[in-house]
Amino acid sequence: MRRTRRRGPVQQLGALILGSTTLGVMMPYPQAGGPSSGASQREAPPPLATAPLPTPEQGQAPPMPRPAMDKPPVETVRTSACPADMLEVAGSYCTEVRHTCEHWLDDEKLPFARCGRYSPKARCVGKRIPKRFCIDRFESGEAGTAPEARKSTEPRQSTDELPLNHQSFQLARQHCAKLGKRLCTESEWNFACEGEDMLPYPYGITREAVCNQDRADLYENNPRRRILRDLRVPNDPDSRCVSPFGVVNMVGNLDEPVSRETGNQPKFNNALKGGWWMAGRNRCRPATTAHDDYYKDIQVGVRCCADSADGPVGVRGNPGF
């Protein structure tokens, strides 16, 4: 007869623990929101978000959105119709203008009489023609560099900033040609000085002490002969002697040779524009035409023009367009 071995208290406790562990492994987790078989309730992990698959009618699935990122700045490159040392002049030019002086500083019968103030409204009694061209912002310098191109360590009154003088019509034409430019025509020079409003002075209708003009100390202290003093002023980017197009020192400082355009064959090809540092007209329209093309002196400088890269409005370089 087979005898049954009785378990002791320790053995019964071990069997009970082993059975409980096995039962816990075999029982599944309760469903979310359903009853729990234990003392605590466990929650099921949330389902993963998935995008619906496209149907044949929908075609390709839309692209997954990308995280927002800072876009790099777009570098814009500004192109100019003129070289860096020149300005573009474009607009409607009047071939003949009438100004009315309201207050004369000198006897108005004098050939170089100065007007203190003009009537605000100028009259165009000629034709309006379109123009587009480039012109030097400053009178050509002795070193061939614009003042903004100088090194920061150079003094402000550097001789490199002084405009070139002792020029003539012929010398000025050669100088501009070496730079790949040309002399301005008289109408181009007029327009760059006065703008579409036909100003008598580049800065307005009232004569102001903003340009190098009206000097009384013209001559050196020499008892034998009269020698003009060199009273040029350097090209100054901050000058107030500025035309509507931003061109500096178009009146005063130095006479500037231009090519004449008169319909009748002139005696000389040149005209001197703008006046110099003496007390003269120093306006946009007047011109000195008594000198030949080889006349040069201490008060004659040079300013160049060029064709615009945007193309002319009409025939390039032709004063009749």
Side-chain angles (χ1 to χ4, degrees):
M1 185 173 179
R2 194 174 185 178
R3 294 180 62 180
T4 302
R5 188 177 179 182
R6 296 186 63 182
R7 298 179 180 176
V10 177
Q11 293 175 333
Q12 292 179 0
L13 179 60
L16 179 61
I17 294 175
L18 180 61
S20 300
T21 304
T22 305
L23 182 61
V25 173
M26 295 177 61
M27 292 182 63
Y29 285 106
Q31 295 293 326
S36 174
S37 58
S40 62
Q41 181 177 349
R42 300 180 181 177
E43 295 183 359
L48 296 176
T50 57
L53 295 176
T55 62
E57 293 79 14
Q58 293 175 330
Q60 295 293 329
M64 296 293 290
R66 296 183 178 181
M69 299 179 63
D70 293 334
K71 295 182 179 180
V74 179
E75 182 179 355
T76 58
V77 179
R78 180 183 180 274
T79 59
S80 174
C82 299
D85 59 343
M86 306 186 83
L87 298 172
E88 186 179 48
V89 175
S92 176
Y93 170 72
C94 178
T95 58
E96 188 175 354
V97 176
R98 294 278 172 83
H99 293 118
T100 301
C101 182
E102 296 180 341
H103 172 64
W104 288 99
L105 300 177
D106 304 309
D107 184 349
E108 62 181 288
K109 296 179 181 178
L110 295 174
F112 299 102
R114 300 167 298 164
C115 179
R117 178 179 173 80
Y118 282 92
S119 171
K121 188 65 176 177
R123 289 191 302 144
C124 178
V125 296
K127 299 178 182 178
R128 282 283 188 179
I129 58 176
K131 281 189 176 295
R132 180 187 290 133
F133 58 94
C134 303
I135 189 170
D136 286 344
R137 182 186 177 196
F138 302 98
E139 292 165 324
S140 289
E142 290 184 336
T145 58
E148 62 263 30
R150 66 179 182 269
K151 297 179 181 179
S152 59
T153 56
E154 294 179 354
R156 188 171 185 78
Q157 299 294 326
S158 169
T159 56
D160 290 349
E161 295 179 49
L162 281 174
L164 193 65
N165 68 342
H166 285 289
Q167 295 296 292
S168 68
F169 173 77
Q170 292 291 353
L171 290 175
R173 186 162 62 176
Q174 295 171 13
H175 173 80
C176 291
K178 289 179 181 178
L179 299 176
K181 305 175 183 179
R182 56 175 173 78
L183 277 184
C184 304
T185 62
E186 187 172 2
S187 63
E188 287 175 334
W189 197 100
N190 289 344
F191 191 37
C193 181
E194 68 187 15
E196 290 188 314
D197 291 335
M198 303 168 290
L199 297 174
Y201 299 110
Y203 45 81
I205 62 174
T206 302
R207 188 180 183 96
E208 298 180 18
V210 295
C211 303
N212 183 26
Q213 61 194 28
D214 297 334
R215 299 291 297 267
D217 52 342
L218 298 180
Y219 300 100
E220 294 181 0
N221 187 15
N222 189 324
R224 295 185 179 181
R225 59 175 181 162
R226 301 175 72 181
I227 301 177
L228 279 174
R229 296 176 61 199
D230 186 355
L231 297 178
R232 291 172 294 165
V233 297
N235 287 320
D236 184 2
D238 300 322
S239 172
R240 292 175 54 205
C241 186
V242 182
S243 80
F245 292 104
V247 189
V248 178
N249 278 350
M250 295 206 75
V251 300
N253 209 37
L254 289 169
D255 269 327
E256 300 176 9
V258 298
S259 297
R260 300 187 68 184
E261 307 164 311
T262 179
N264 300 323
Q265 184 64 33
K267 185 177 181 180
F268 306 118
N269 295 315
N270 83 92
L272 297 178
K273 300 287 294 183
W276 42 294
W277 54 81
M278 81 167 196
R281 294 169 293 183
N282 305 115
R283 304 198 307 268
C284 293
R285 286 278 169 164
T288 300
T289 58
H291 300 299
D292 64 35
D293 296 347
Y294 297 90
Y295 167 81
K296 69 175 183 176
D297 210 332
I298 192 173
Q299 83 282 4
V300 182
V302 55
R303 188 189 303 269
C304 306
C305 281
D307 298 326
S308 170
D310 287 343
V313 184
V315 181
R316 181 172 299 184
N318 184 349
F321 67 79

